Amino acid sequence: MKRDIDLVRQIMMNIEDLPSGPSMQFRMGEVDDPVVRAHLEMMISAGLVNGKITEPYGARGAVIIISGLSWEGHEWIETVRDDGLWNEVKITVLNCGGALTFEIARDVANQILRKRLRLPAE
């Protein structure tokens, strides 16, 4: 399975919308659970999402428990939240022949935002 950075963004935005409070089970009905699980495993491992995935017990499948985004997860989603900016990031990277990784998406988005705000490049 390939990592889908658009799905990562969508999952993170959905997690951000969860109400404050105790950890809760997470599901995304429009995406097959194995795909969501694999992406959440990667996101938890990378430190973007606070949560855990329990292993299957008997007839019950694995349960994904999420308590929210990490600080880095919040920072990333704030950077790429705007759909127009997100599309510009993807086009910029693909036109250069690069791969759209988490770090590259963040860096390109930051460069675009800095240019729009007339801030010096980092």
Side-chain angles (χ1 to χ4, degrees):
M1 181 201 77
K2 283 187 163 186
R3 180 181 61 184
D4 181 341
I5 198 77
D6 284 309
L7 180 58
V8 168
R9 180 176 173 262
Q10 180 185 357
I11 290 171
M12 289 177 71
M13 290 175 79
N14 287 353
I15 290 172
E16 183 185 44
D17 287 340
L18 294 174
S20 297
S23 300
M24 59 178 34
Q25 189 171 346
F26 183 80
R27 295 184 72 85
M28 285 181 58
E30 67 274 8
V31 181
D32 290 340
D33 282 349
V35 175
V36 172
R37 177 188 166 138
H39 280 76
L40 279 167
E41 285 175 343
M42 288 186 277
M43 294 161 67
I44 290 168
S45 176
L48 302 173
V49 173
N50 299 318
K52 64 181 179 176
I53 300 175
T54 65
E55 291 307 313
Y57 178 73
R60 182 177 168 191
V63 176
I64 303 167
I65 304 295
I66 299 296
S67 60
L69 298 177
S70 68
W71 182 268
E72 185 174 356
H74 278 288
E75 290 291 303
W76 189 79
I77 205 64
E78 283 299 327
T79 303
V80 298
R81 176 182 311 283
D82 179 75
D83 289 336
L85 176 67
W86 179 242
N87 289 329
E88 188 175 344
V89 166
K90 292 191 302 184
I91 290 168
T92 300
V93 172
L94 294 176
N95 283 344
C96 293
L100 189 60
T101 66
F102 180 85
E103 292 82 11
I104 292 293
R106 180 193 58 219
D107 293 346
V108 171
N110 280 328
Q111 289 176 6
I112 293 168
L113 288 170
R114 293 184 76 75
K115 185 175 180 181
R116 287 182 184 175
L117 294 169
R118 294 185 176 95
L119 296 173
E122 291 186 325

